[in-house]
Amino acid sequence: MAATVDEILSEETVATRQVRNLLRALLLIVALAVAYVARDLLLPVVLALFIALTFRPAIRYSSKHHVPPLLAAAIIFGLLSVGGFSIVYFASGPVVAWFEDAPQMLKAFSEKFDGLQSSLDTITDLTAKLQDVSKAANAAPIQEVVVRESALPAIFSVVTGYPIQFLVTLLTTLILAVFLMASGDLFYEKLVRILPSLSARKQALHIAYAIEDEISAYVLTLSSINLVMGVLVALIFHMLGMPLPYLWGLLAFLFNYIPYVGALTGIALSAFTAIVTFDSLGYALLIPLAYGACSIIESEVLSPQIMGRSLQMNSVAILLSLAFWTWLWGIAGCALALPFLVTIKVFCDHMDGLSGLGEFIATRQTASVVGSSQD
């Protein structure tokens, strides 16, 4: 009879565990659906949260020196606003000029490859004739894909309308960040009050402070590296005679917040502009090669030397995070992919049940560490 009771209890335990796992999966699906549908509402909140976490150590330091959190948050808001609007002011003119000159630039770019285009047209005609011979007389003709000039105004209206939405989102984000920073330790105090046990409170505060430190260190370190990258690109482009080198330095600074994709975008845009600008194709190719060299130096030399191992992630985890958040939130999600990854890793490092996921996210260990662990 006792064995039968144990079997019943074991079956109930397994069933309960399966139901719990099913509920967790459903909760995750619902959370993803809500994040996708309500992205316009959640995006400013998440951005503001990351900004507040980035400057929370500075707010706490100022509080220790008798500076009110509201005043410190207002100073940070002022600095960020002045910097952001200065960048928009100085970059808006050249960017608008680029959009206005886009049809002429596309035409000049295509003229540089007239010889290649004629060869491609010959191959296309030959392929069409071979398909006409093999198909029936009533077969549908091959449609040629042409980018019509009439479609350009529609594209430009979408692109030029996006900055307005971006500025509104940015302003909302900064205001929310100010309120979060000015709140001080209010949310931490509420977190301590609602948790049931002392150990849970200590663990929650430990994780919260660790997230603050890791996010702040990551964002500030990455910003410093990106600044060096932008200055280096601007100086090299200036020496090579590239128009508006300071603007290219700014673009390199911004693109470098998005791993892999940002560097590829900068190389492609600089190659396109250089081919249109310079008469010699060989000299024009020096521009994207220089940009690519700067990107390699940054990713292979500067970042590994400056960033600690706790801030480094392996390439597979980064690509998966980029793909997922870009699919969920678009360009903004692509920029937030690494901060999200850093936050997840902090949780994994402080929770035993998630240690396996944290090991997957982390970068490769050094050979000495691996060798010592095997011994």
Side-chain angles (χ1 to χ4, degrees), residues 137-152:
N138 59 350
I142 300 175
Q143 295 182 353
E144 183 180 2
V145 178
V146 180
V147 178
R148 301 183 181 276
E149 294 185 359
S150 60
L152 291 175

Side-chain angles (χ1 to χ4, degrees), residues 8-39:
I8 294 175
L9 292 177
S10 178
E11 292 177 357
E12 290 181 352
T13 303
V14 172
T16 303
R17 188 180 300 112
Q18 291 177 349
V19 172
R20 187 182 295 111
N21 292 334
L22 179 60
L23 291 176
R24 288 174 180 173
L26 292 176
L27 181 61
L28 179 61
I29 294 174
V30 172
L32 291 177
V34 171
Y36 181 79
V37 174
R39 57 186 179 272

Side-chain angles (χ1 to χ4, degrees), residues 120-136 139-144:
L120 292 176
D121 291 340
T122 303
I123 296 174
T124 302
D125 293 339
L126 180 60
T127 304
K129 292 178 181 179
L130 292 175
Q131 289 182 349
D132 289 338
V133 172
S134 60
K135 289 183 177 181
I142 300 175
Q143 295 182 353
E144 183 180 2

Side-chain angles (χ1 to χ4, degrees), residues 77-100:
F77 173 78
L79 293 176
L80 292 177
S81 300
V82 170
F85 284 109
S86 298
I87 291 174
V88 172
Y89 176 78
F90 287 108
S92 59
V95 171
V96 172
W98 274 354
F99 283 120
E100 292 177 350

